[in-house]
Amino acid sequence: MTHYSTTDEKGKLSIDELSARGVDAFLTEDAWESFGKRYHFGAEDMPHIRGVFEAMKGLLTPEVCYAVAETPVRYLTTRRFLVCAVTLGDAPDSLQELYLTRAAVGDAYVVESLGSFVLENMYRMLPERLHARTGLWMRGMEFSEDRAELAEQLALLEETDCAVTLTEYGMLLPKASVVFTSALTKEKPACPQTVCAGCPRTDCPTRHPAA
């Protein structure tokens, strides 16, 4: 397990700070085309999926909580890095449950897919916004599947009033949430890493082909 200590650099980003257009900014026409290919939907499915998104988006409560942390390295020095939680709130979980109670399994999958896609597009906006807050640049993202490490990371975010919690089985709640760490650098990386590159789930069917 990694041992962290927090710094005074912590806070929360609302959806308005990420985008003046809210979640609509994450689903441009190009993004919709990418979404269909990524999650294996045909063109004939898209009008219905857009309708599900319209019903869903007003219920979302997206937020980003972050803290700049430190961990000891050799010779009494420390390394600073970012701990971050991103969530869409409880709405996707509630909608999935509603669709499943109505045996609408396809719509439940649509909600899950849309949630994952919106989360990923939120990540893409983080480097610029967090640089404005901290003066530092993210360098990649690392996602842990270790429950103890996730619990320690979330503990660093308690002062930010983070809505993301961890079950005893290691599941994040709300489900449309992620927690990750990122190395920090003063120089802007020339080639940003894809979101999937830092994820240990190499067998994921929607993994980005460049990862």
Side-chain angles (χ1 to χ4, degrees):
M1 183 190 305
T2 306
H3 295 284
Y4 310 115
S5 60
T6 189
T7 71
D8 291 332
E9 294 184 81
K10 62 187 71 172
K12 182 180 291 189
L13 292 168
S14 68
I15 186 62
D16 293 332
E17 291 176 89
L18 289 175
S19 167
R21 294 180 54 229
V23 294
D24 282 321
F26 307 135
L27 285 165
T28 61
E29 288 304 315
D30 288 343
W32 276 115
E33 183 177 350
S34 175
F35 172 82
K37 292 178 180 177
R38 185 91 171 273
Y39 292 93
H40 315 294
F41 293 112
E44 68 279 6
D45 301 316
M46 299 312 293
H48 177 70
I49 291 172
R50 286 182 180 238
V52 172
F53 177 67
E54 287 300 313
M56 170 182 170
K57 70 178 183 180
L59 303 174
L60 300 178
T61 53
E63 67 177 30
V64 177
C65 297
Y66 70 92
V68 176
E70 295 180 337
T71 186
V73 293
R74 294 184 300 172
Y75 308 120
L76 302 179
T77 59
T78 59
R79 177 175 62 88
R80 304 183 92 196
F81 63 99
L82 182 79
V83 179
C84 193
V86 186
T87 183
L88 297 182
D90 294 319
D93 295 352
S94 299
L95 279 174
Q96 277 191 281
E97 290 178 11
L98 176 64
Y99 284 132
L100 288 173
T101 58
R102 296 179 177 178
V105 178
D107 284 343
Y109 175 67
V110 167
V111 169
E112 180 180 4
S113 302
L114 285 168
S116 297
F117 195 73
V118 171
L119 274 178
E120 181 176 332
N121 281 278
M122 286 176 68
Y123 307 155
R124 296 179 190 279
M125 292 189 171
L126 287 180
E128 295 282 350
R129 304 306 189 273
L130 288 170
H131 176 261
R133 287 281 188 99
T134 67
L136 298 167
W137 291 99
M138 293 169 52
R139 190 176 66 205
M141 300 178 195
E142 296 294 330
F143 300 84
S144 176
E145 293 187 321
D146 182 83
R147 186 190 181 283
E149 190 165 11
L150 281 169
E152 193 168 6
Q153 291 169 4
L154 283 172
L156 286 177
L157 298 172
E158 285 182 354
E159 292 183 26
T160 67
D161 194 26
C162 179
V164 180
T165 60
L166 189 67
T167 72
E168 61 179 310
Y169 302 107
M171 178 184 294
L172 293 173
L173 293 177
K175 293 177 185 176
S177 306
V178 293
V179 176
F180 65 87
T181 61
S182 174
L184 292 171
T185 177
K186 293 182 178 179
E187 301 296 328
K188 185 176 182 178
C191 299
Q193 192 180 45
T194 66
V195 172
C196 295
C199 178
R201 295 185 58 196
T202 56
D203 60 342
C204 176
T206 60
R207 189 174 179 87
H208 196 285

